[in-house]
Amino acid sequence: MDKKTIRLLMPQWQGGNNPNYSFGAELLAWLAPENGQPLIEVPVQAYAGTPLENENGVYGRTQLLEQLKAARDLISAHQPDRIVMFGGDCLVEQAPFAYLNERYSGELGLLWIDAHSDLMRIPGYDYGHTLPLGNLLGEGEKEFASFVATPFKTDNVFIAGLAKPAMQEAEIISKTLQEKGIAIPDDTELLKRLGIRTAGAEELAETLDSVKSWIKESGIKYLAIHLDLDVLDPAAFRSLLFANPESPYLYSPKGTMQVPRLLEIMHLASEEAEIVGLGITEHMPWDAIALKSMLNSFPLLANPI
């Protein structure tokens, strides 16, 4: 029997408190090749010019939880075997991957390709996109994690592409965080306690053996892949938060992975396991954003006839 695959478009911006994530998600879904898979949009409250409120440690908590429930309910209604998710901030991954782990009896593997672990809250930087992997493991933020009926096994999770800032970048980040009153994130102890395997971008540039060994040793048959585009080197791929031409992002280390290596990781994963989930997030197409803004001011385009 053919497996049922759906595509979800979730233009969620509240998790990163940046309305541009919505347009990035919509453009991402439009760019994806057509292959007959239905595209279903998760309703997201559009930015209306009102700043998000910090609700008990998470900006936009109410909206994020409502959108999480909406995504969960849509997925449950369709009962797919495989899911593609176009985001939006990284928190969009929670609903589809939580569903898929239940669908595959708690044995789903999760390859988290990201420059950052997304495991924990960062005091002073209270945005939901720092939490999705933590939530999926039953850690993270209590209220969000309560929506994960079957937490992932830690042995079934691998974080690939973690960024290690150079000394100068680390100094700039540290200074910026201190000035903003944001705690310097350190997930070392949490990763150690959970026993999650990781590989930094530098290691993966040399060899992919750690990813292949993890899939084989963990006995992973079905696999979901999270891709935060921020794992890529912004000098090579410009549609990233870190490549903002007007104001560089200085709150965390930027990714260094090259596109050909990312494609090799995807190919390896699909050779070693059956891919049943794919999420792509944090697309920030600066030139398209600027052009869209310009078009809104052009004659015959901006004014109704």
Side-chain angles (χ1 to χ4, degrees), residues 2-288:
D2 291 337
K3 290 192 173 183
K4 181 179 181 180
T5 305
I6 63 171
R7 297 184 181 192
L8 294 176
L9 166 59
M10 191 169 180
Q12 180 170 280
W13 59 272
Q14 293 90 342
N17 198 17
N18 190 328
N20 287 321
Y21 280 133
S22 292
F23 179 59
E26 292 162 356
L27 184 56
L28 189 64
W30 181 80
L31 288 168
E34 288 286 346
N35 63 2
Q37 296 167 349
L39 179 66
I40 303 155
E41 184 166 355
V42 179
V44 168
Q45 186 167 327
Y47 178 65
T50 303
L52 294 176
E53 294 184 8
N54 190 324
E55 304 173 58
N56 191 25
V58 178
Y59 282 98
R61 176 188 290 268
T62 299
Q63 294 178 26
L64 288 170
L65 287 171
E66 288 174 351
Q67 290 158 192
L68 173 60
K69 294 173 188 175
R72 179 198 61 184
D73 292 346
L74 275 172
I75 294 168
S76 296
H78 286 272
Q79 291 290 301
D81 302 294
R82 300 181 296 204
I83 301 173
V84 177
M85 171 62 87
F86 300 113
D89 62 71
C90 286
L91 194 58
V92 304
E93 305 289 42
Q94 179 171 334
F97 290 168
Y99 165 85
L100 287 170
N101 198 35
E102 287 186 72
R103 168 70 180 77
Y104 293 97
S105 306
E107 298 297 330
L108 184 66
L110 179 53
L111 179 58
W112 200 262
I113 305 177
D114 203 316
H116 317 102
S117 69
D118 293 346
L119 283 172
M120 53 191 279
R121 289 172 59 178
I122 303 169
Y125 184 83
D126 299 324
Y127 297 145
H129 70 161
T130 70
L131 298 168
L133 182 54
N135 298 339
L136 288 165
L137 289 163
E139 302 269 341
E141 205 281 335
K142 184 176 180 181
E143 189 171 11
F144 286 86
S146 69
F147 287 88
V148 180
T150 306
F152 277 81
K153 296 179 179 178
T154 55
D155 287 346
N156 285 6
V157 176
F158 190 103
I159 305 174
L162 289 175
K164 182 179 180 182
M167 183 177 297
Q168 184 178 10
E169 185 184 20
E171 290 174 354
I172 294 172
I173 291 170
S174 178
K175 182 180 179 181
T176 302
L177 295 179
Q178 289 175 4
E179 290 175 349
K180 298 290 185 180
I182 300 171
I184 297 175
D186 185 0
D187 53 16
T188 306
E189 289 301 317
L190 183 56
L191 284 168
K192 184 177 180 180
R193 173 169 65 83
L194 295 175
I196 293 175
R197 296 197 202 186
T198 68
E202 292 181 359
E203 175 187 335
L204 295 175
E206 298 295 328
T207 176
L208 301 183
D209 287 350
S210 58
V211 178
K212 186 173 183 178
S213 298
W214 163 70
I215 295 173
K216 289 185 175 297
E217 292 169 10
S218 300
I220 291 169
K221 184 177 179 182
Y222 301 104
L223 182 64
I225 301 174
H226 158 78
L227 170 61
D228 180 344
L229 290 169
D230 283 347
V231 77
L232 294 170
D233 180 355
F237 185 81
R238 303 296 297 169
S239 296
L240 306 175
L241 183 63
F242 291 85
N244 188 336
E246 296 182 359
S247 177
Y249 188 80
L250 303 173
Y251 294 90
S252 57
K254 62 181 180 294
T256 60
M257 188 178 291
Q258 302 301 310
V259 172
R261 202 53 165 170
L262 172 62
L263 295 175
E264 290 173 1
I265 294 172
M266 291 285 189
H267 181 71
L268 170 66
S270 62
E271 281 189 331
E272 298 296 328
E274 181 178 343
I275 310 302
V276 297
L278 174 63
I280 309 170
T281 63
E282 312 231 343
H283 179 220
M284 196 65 76
W286 294 112
D287 287 344

